[in-house]
Amino acid sequence: MKKLLVTVVAATLWSVAGVQAQTLSISCGAVGVELKLCQEGVDAWSAKTGVDVRVVSTPNSSTERLALYQQILAAEADDIDLFQVDVVWPGILANHFVDLAAHAKAAGDHFPALIRNNTIDGRLVALPWWTDAGVLYYRADLLEKHGAKPPATWQEMTETAREIVAAERAAGRDGLWGFVWQGKAYEGLTCNALEWLDSFGAGAIVSRDGDITVNNPKAAAALKLAASWVNEISPPGVLNYDEEASRGVFQSGKAVFMRNWPYAWALANSDDSAIRGKVGVVALPKGGAGGKHTGTLGGWNVAVSRYSKHPGLAIDLALYLTSQAEQKRRAIAASYNPTYPALYQDAEVLAANPFFGQLYETFSNAVARPSGVTGDDYNRVSAAFWTAVHSALSGQQPADTALADLERKLKRIGRRARW
Ligand code: GLC
């Protein structure tokens, strides 16, 4: 009897200790303060549950991150339990993730479009963590000094940038540029270029019905305008810039305008920023008459790996990280856009990020990349698009030739995949 008791007690202690020492791991991005924010959220959950969590940092580039995830998941490796997943990946990675549909209620009232985006063949494969849309940052002090207004069209932006740079350079500020953005050949360029196309009314590369619409005169006009910026209002190096490179230039005071995601707002106004208090944010300009203000839909989700040895705990952590309270904390601390419409009416969130309220339309009607219709071919489609755009921007090919070649390439991909 005594022996049995000892065994039971020992087994119980062992299992308690087992839970406490149990280590989950989550892969997080490291753009700006992303890693720190992830770590803080994870630490709060660990303090509550006593479960140890390892935070694994991944490459900044969404493209490189996807390649890494595909390797880990193809090997069915159990060493990462939770993945931070881009809004365009559910169709690519769905089969590797646990269905969270049973927890959708606990997850609360996210933007319905995001839940739809993350639902593949009836399975909810990831919970929304934050949403993104491209916006235009400008130096309010410089625009005021030169009597300029925030631009309504790309043409106006181009002219304002040119005038301010000319005047400032003449006054000795040699290092100033007009406009920085993400021109490197990767997913970020797909986001920037989709905004140019959409702002000109040139469609979204592939229509919802699977028609390849990208080769059209408005798209060519949009690309020609963007190509004219390189080495004029934008530094030649812009063709190798990602989000952080453009933020580095803007935040050190060396550019009048910047295209970036909302996270750059909190950092631009941080204590060590050279432009603290001098920045405004507006919707991206229209592509001239008949065009519209737009922004590409971005954002990230949390998914639980099917190969996790602790799916129950991992789901609990996913629910915690994506909860309304945690998203509120992230919005106030670092301008990460919540995926709960209700938080756009929260006074503290709006005080920290006034543009969340002013640009609500941009955030709720952002233009989606064609990841839904192209499913697990999305990355191939996007890579073909950013390659064509990059060749037009660098002058390797005229815009219309690049678009005609791209159309042929996309038709081949689409025929094989039957979308
Ligand atoms: C941001 C967006 C993401 C996009 C990436 C491209 O992280 O949230 O959706 O794919 O930028 O660089």
Side-chain angles (χ1 to χ4, degrees), residues 14 38 62 65 98 101-103 112 137 161 212 220 236 362-363 373 388 403 410:
W14 182 84
C38 171
S62 171
R65 211 181 285 173
V98 167
H103 307 277
Y137 291 84
I212 290 144
T362 307
F363 296 124
V373 58
L403 289 173
L410 294 183

Side-chain angles (χ1 to χ4, degrees), residues 265-315:
W265 170 257
L267 291 163
N269 288 306
S270 60
D271 289 341
D272 60 356
S273 165
I275 52 168
R276 184 182 160 88
K278 298 179 177 163
V279 180
V281 186
V282 282
L284 289 167
K286 298 186 201 180
K292 61 171 175 175
H293 294 293
T294 185
T296 292
L297 174 71
W300 293 83
N301 307 280
V302 182
V304 173
S305 166
R306 259 182 52 202
Y307 317 113
S308 166
K309 290 216 180 82
H310 315 289
L313 283 174
I315 291 170

Side-chain angles (χ1 to χ4, degrees), residues 30 63 70 104 159 219 229 261 270 310 326 356 416:
T63 303
Q70 283 176 315
E159 279 155 28
W229 295 330
W261 307 101
S270 60
H310 315 289
E326 176 62 3
F356 278 16
R416 212 172 334 114

